[in-house]
Every structure is written in structure tokens, then in C-alpha cells.
Amino acid sequence: MDGLTIIAFSLAAVFAVAFFAVLFVFIRRRSKPDNGIDAMTGLLSRERFLKECAVQLKKNSDEGRRTAMVVFDVDGHGKISTLFGSEVGNGVVKGFAEAVKQVVNGKFRASRVDNDDFAVLFSYTRDAEIEAFVSDFREALNSIFSGTSVMEQVDFFAGIAVYDGIDDIYTLFNKANLCLIMNDGNRVTRFSEEMEKRMVEDEILRAEMVNALEEGQFELYYQPKISFRTGEITGVEALIRWHHPTKGFVPPNDFIPLAEQTGIITQIDEWGLRTACRQCKQWQNDGLPPVKISVNMSQAQFYRTDVISTVKNVLEETGLDPQWLEIEVTETMAMRDIERTINVLGRIRSMGVSISMDDFGSGYSSLSSLKTIPLDILKIDRSLVCDLDENDVSKQITGAIVNLGKAMKLIILAEGVETEEQCQFLTRIGCDLAQGYYYSKPRPAAEITALLLMPKEALLKQV
Ligand code: C2E
Ligand code: CA
Ligand code: CA
């Protein structure tokens, strides 16, 4: 090879390396994931959105225009994805994105800020424009999904935070999101000072719960379950009570959801399980007629890896025979991961513990899945029972649930029984057990002891 050929080869090699280097950089740039646009919907990414909003916020202020952060959360998206697969779920998200684009109409900045959460920085002059904007969004959704059943399965929540002239964009965004967390079931929630105060109070309650357990501020009350056939108490449900040192009585609905957010719920549930089993064993040791004890299990506890060993250990520790323990799980949590539910409940049940499906008929009832879940008792939700006196549809649904339960050889319990008429109807359709204020409110252990000591005839007058 002469000198000239060597130079030509070297040059070619240098050019080739340079060419591939440029190509590599070009491809990298093209495929760089965060170009500020969400690939699925074409809306702005969260980072770019917030960055651009910061500029817009200042501009609006300078021009004397008002600004609000509006966030939309798709409600029911998870359910759709679970039932019909992620492709259908993605279709729903894309439909929502399309509705956002339609109402924004190129005038405002909009983003898919999270999996199924959207945000719009809305500029306006009159307050009523915000409400109109949200209702336009709903109309856009209806027209996008018209001819499908999507809008029967999903809905949305909107959170609105109006710019106060002081907040930075992140605070404004957080305030709008807070509306989604603190909403009381309303479709549209506006941020308020009161909401912020409630959030702080919740924060304090969350922190206080840790001490509450250690300091013995929790107590279990027990509500009798009565047999329609014999009028006897067949079991009691353990329901937690918090005697707060300064607030007094705090009802479970005010702190159990908070406990679920922090993880302390699993300690509370374990305490409840142990206390209830110990109490039940105590009643038996005292020679009282044996009754089953039922304990509520939270979703967090149910999805812990050691849930089975916890139940087993508590039974061993307290010496309670498993046949006297019943675990209540809700429909919603059982349906979240049906495979796991079948596995875990099957194993708990094989220990001899009974399983009941709580609040049945309140959420999304997948009757076909129910067939596969290891169950002993079906608890008809209070919302159906309290409607029985006035609502024929509730009567029909309740009747259908009882028939279905019977076909599956389950024991059927009606929750929240309050009137004589409800009792008559429920007895007529073949319901087995009742629980409700008509018979008895939840009571402290000592009062239940007294009830269990009474002869049956006296008991019927008491409960
Ligand atoms: P739940 O499991 O559905 O319990 C039944 C609730 O209905 C109880 O409310 C009970 O007092 C109430 N109730 C019973 N009969 C009637 C009636 O005739 N009319 C009306 N209006 N209400 C009736 P409570 O004790 O306030 O508990 C509320 C919820 O808190 C429970 O609903 C349960 O989900 C949860 N919870 C209570 N204790 C515990 C616990 O130890 N652990 C867990 N994870 N959750 C608990
Ligand atoms: Ca329950
Ligand atoms: Ca219930």
C-alpha cells in the first residue's frame, strides 16, 4: 500500500466515524423521551407545563387578568383498565386528553400531569367562566364517548385553585391537587382556607394516632348479629372507637381513612384483631354462650405479605379456636387483585376462619368474580337496606343478592337494619342474620357480656 492509499483510507475512516457519531447524536435527540410533550396525548409534560405556567402567571398578573389552576382526575379509570385491559384504559385517557384539547382550544396551557390526571392553567375575567369551562369539559367528554358505555363507568373530579397574587406556581398546583384529595364526593371542588385548615388537622390526627395506640386510647365496641330465625346473638362485629384526650370521641370514618394513608392502619388492625380474639376467648373462658367475633380488615393489611402469618399468630397467641373468628373484607378491596384475593382468603379460610364480604352492593359488584372468591358470609350494604321501605328497586336488588348468595350456599346478613318493616321484608326473602340499630348499637365489651348472660327471652326485649 503506498502513502496516498493509506491517507485515503485514514480519511475515509475519520469520515465514517464522524458520520456515525453525528447519526448517533441525531437519533438520540430524536428519541430523547422528555421533549416536553407527553407521547401518549400530545399535551405538555408536567415539567414543561409548570415551567411555562410560571411565566404565564406573571404575564396574566401584569395584564390584570385572573388565573386559576384547574386539575381533572379521571375517576374509574383503574376499574376500566382492570376489567377490560390497559389498551381500553389508555383509550379512556386519550379520550379525556381530547376533551381537554377541545375545551382549551389552543388558548390555555394544558398537560397530562400524571397517569390519568390533567391540568389546565385557565385565564379569565369573570368568576362564572371557570364553572362554564368545567361544564364544557363534561360536554366534550359526552360527545367524545357518545355511542359507548364509557361515561357510565367513569367520571371525573375537578379541583380548582384561584391564584391569590402571592403563591408560586407549585403552590397553586398543589392547592388544586389538594382539592382532589379533600373533596367530599363533589365533582367540582374549589380550594379554600377551610380546606387547608382541615388538612392541617388531619395531619395532626395522623401523627397523634401513633401515640394513641401506645397510650391505649383505642377501644373496641361490639355490635351483635342476630339470627332472624332464632332471635339469638350468633356473633358480634368489633368496631374501633378512639377516645381522644382533647377532642373526645373521634368516629372511625374520621380516622381510619387517614390511618390508611400512612400505613399505621396495619398496626391498628393488628391491635384490633388481637384485642377482639382475646375478648372472644375471655367470654368463652367465662362460660358465656359462644359467639363468633368478626374483625374488619383494611386494604393495607390485606395486601401485606405477612397477613396470613399475622392471623395465625394471633389465634395461637390468644388460644381462640379459628371457628370463632370471622374476617370482613370489602368488595372493593377484594376486587382490586382477584388472583391474590382468592389465594389469601383461601389460605385464611383453610385455617378454619370464616370470611365475609362487607358492604356488598355498595360498590362495583362483579357477580361473576364472586363465584370464585372463597367466602362464607355476604353482608348486604346498609345503603340498600335503608332504602327498603321506600324503594322497590332496592327491594329487587336485595332479593336478587339473597337468591344469589343462597345459590352459592352463603350466609346472608343485612347491615344497618333499623325498622320492623325491614326485618319483615328481610325475613320473608330468606335473609339469615341482621345487624343494626333496630337490635343494638355497637356497645362496650362489658355491656355485651351482660347481654350474653341474659336468658333468650329477656335478651329479645333488650337488644
Ligand atoms: P362497617 O364495617 O360497614 O361497619 C358498620 C358501620 O355501620 C359501623 O359504623 C356501625 O356502627 C354502623 N351501623 C351499624 N348499624 C347501623 C344502623 O342501623 N344504622 C346506621 N346508620 N349505622 C349503623 P362505625 O362503627 O362508625 O364504623 C364505620 C366504618 O369504619 C366501618 O364500617 C369500618 O369500615 C370501619 N372500621 C371500624 N372499625 C374498624 C377497625 O377496627 N378496623 C378497620 N380497618 N376498619 C374499621
Ligand atoms: Ca364491617
Ligand atoms: Ca359494612
Side-chain angles (χ1 to χ4, degrees):
M1 218 186 281
D2 60 16
L4 219 64
T5 321
I6 290 171
I7 291 169
F9 265 115
S10 307
L11 274 176
V14 169
F15 274 123
V17 169
F19 173 76
F20 283 114
V22 169
L23 191 68
F24 178 71
V25 170
F26 180 72
I27 290 171
R28 270 198 60 137
R29 219 180 248 170
R30 285 291 300 261
S31 61
K32 202 175 160 205
D34 188 16
N35 57 357
I37 299 291
D38 170 50
M40 189 203 262
T41 61
L43 293 168
L44 295 180
S45 72
R46 177 197 183 107
E47 289 70 28
R48 181 163 161 198
F49 169 73
L50 289 172
K51 223 180 260 173
E52 292 188 7
C53 282
V55 179
Q56 185 69 42
L57 199 61
K58 188 169 178 321
K59 195 160 170 258
N60 284 0
S61 291
D62 292 347
E63 291 169 3
R65 281 154 62 74
R66 298 169 71 190
T67 313
M69 179 67 78
V70 183
V71 290
F72 296 112
D73 171 34
V74 184
D75 180 37
H77 169 231
K79 195 170 77 186
I80 287 243
S81 296
T82 312
L83 284 175
F84 306 113
S86 55
E87 244 171 66
V88 179
N90 287 348
V92 170
V93 171
K94 285 180 191 161
F96 270 72
E98 187 50 41
V100 170
K101 284 182 205 162
Q102 280 183 19
V103 290
V104 160
N105 198 15
K107 287 186 290 199
F108 314 114
R109 285 183 167 70
S111 162
R112 179 164 82 116
V113 283
D114 205 353
N115 180 29
D116 55 3
D117 290 344
F118 300 89
V120 175
L121 192 75
F122 186 70
S123 313
Y124 64 104
T125 45
R126 281 180 311 110
D127 204 55
E129 290 173 49
I130 306 180
E131 264 69 36
F133 178 70
V134 176
S135 70
D136 286 351
F137 179 66
R138 171 141 195 104
E139 271 174 35
L141 283 176
N142 283 338
S143 89
I144 287 166
F145 291 118
S146 72
T148 74
S149 63
V150 169
M151 291 312 283
E152 287 161 27
Q153 317 258 9
V154 297
D155 202 343
F156 69 88
F157 289 113
I160 300 165
V162 171
Y163 179 51
D164 59 3
I166 304 166
D167 288 340
D168 60 39
I169 192 68
Y170 296 97
T171 310
L172 185 67
F173 182 61
N174 288 343
K175 282 182 173 177
N177 277 300
L178 188 65
C179 302
L180 298 179
I181 299 167
M182 305 290 283
N183 86 35
D184 294 320
N186 300 321
R187 178 178 292 147
V188 186
T189 309
R190 267 182 189 241
F191 177 83
S192 65
E193 297 297 322
E194 192 268 330
M195 182 186 290
E196 208 162 33
K197 217 173 109 211
R198 197 152 48 99
M199 187 191 70
V200 174
E201 281 169 7
D202 284 357
E203 203 60 60
I204 296 170
L205 271 192
R206 268 190 219 109
E208 286 174 337
M209 263 184 261
V210 183
N211 278 341
L213 251 185
E214 286 160 10
E215 289 175 12
Q217 293 166 14
F218 291 121
E219 182 185 359
L220 288 185
Y221 272 36
Y222 301 88
Q223 187 177 34
K225 299 179 178 182
I226 313 287
S227 158
F228 276 123
R229 199 169 51 79
T230 66
E232 282 169 353
I233 300 178
T234 63
V236 292
E237 176 176 2
L239 293 157
I240 198 165
R241 300 292 177 255
W242 183 0
H243 305 288
H244 191 282
T246 54
K247 290 196 174 68
F249 173 72
V250 184
N253 285 335
D254 284 6
F255 70 89
I256 293 285
L258 296 179
E260 284 180 336
Q261 291 164 7
T262 58
I264 181 126
I265 186 68
T266 58
Q267 288 172 49
I268 294 179
D269 273 2
E270 197 174 325
W271 172 85
L273 180 68
R274 184 169 289 113
T275 309
C277 288
R278 199 179 287 141
Q279 180 62 66
C280 190
K281 182 71 186 169
Q282 185 63 48
W283 281 324
Q284 291 177 6
N285 289 347
D286 293 346
L288 296 169
V291 287
K292 252 189 183 177
I293 192 109
S294 70
V295 178
N296 289 284
M297 189 178 276
S298 67
Q299 176 157 304
Q301 177 79 347
F302 185 64
Y303 282 93
R304 271 181 74 108
T305 46
D306 59 358
V307 57
I308 296 161
S309 59
T310 302
V311 174
K312 197 160 166 271
N313 291 343
V314 168
L315 284 169
E316 273 170 17
E317 213 179 280
T318 58
L320 183 70
D321 190 305
Q323 65 166 312
W324 300 110
L325 176 64
E326 178 180 319
I327 303 273
E328 299 197 2
V329 294
T330 65
E331 198 188 334
T332 328
M333 72 194 229
M335 300 301 173
R336 210 187 96 186
D337 181 348
I338 192 97
E339 292 295 315
R340 189 184 148 80
T341 299
I342 294 169
N343 180 296
V344 171
L345 293 186
R347 288 168 65 190
I348 294 180
R349 200 158 167 255
S350 68
M351 285 182 222
V353 175
S354 315
I355 308 289
S356 69
M357 177 69 83
D358 205 356
D359 304 342
F360 191 76
S362 65
Y364 172 80
S365 312
S366 175
L367 298 180
S368 54
S369 316
L370 202 58
K371 267 196 312 213
T372 56
I373 298 178
L375 271 188
D376 303 279
I377 299 125
L378 207 55
K379 296 187 77 176
I380 303 176
D381 190 57
R382 184 151 57 90
S383 59
L384 279 171
V385 176
C386 76
D387 263 8
L388 286 179
D389 294 342
E390 284 115 40
N391 191 326
D392 272 351
V393 177
S394 291
K395 276 189 175 162
Q396 281 161 10
I397 296 175
T398 307
I401 292 178
V402 172
N403 287 339
L404 173 92
K406 291 274 153 194
M408 290 164 58
K409 310 236 175 334
L410 300 176
I411 295 170
I412 318 288
L413 179 145
E415 290 192 286
V417 177
E418 290 184 354
T419 67
E420 174 76 40
E421 292 73 35
Q422 289 164 354
C423 285
Q424 283 169 2
F425 175 77
L426 290 161
T427 312
R428 204 169 63 238
I429 61 170
C431 196
D432 304 295
L433 304 174
Q435 185 182 346
Y437 295 170
Y438 180 72
Y439 292 103
S440 169
K441 287 197 171 187
R443 302 169 184 231
E447 287 185 30
I448 297 289
T449 310
L451 281 184
L452 291 176
L453 278 170
M454 278 179 195
K456 190 179 151 191
E457 298 69 36
L459 176 72
L460 282 174
K461 289 190 201 99
Q462 277 293 319
V463 288

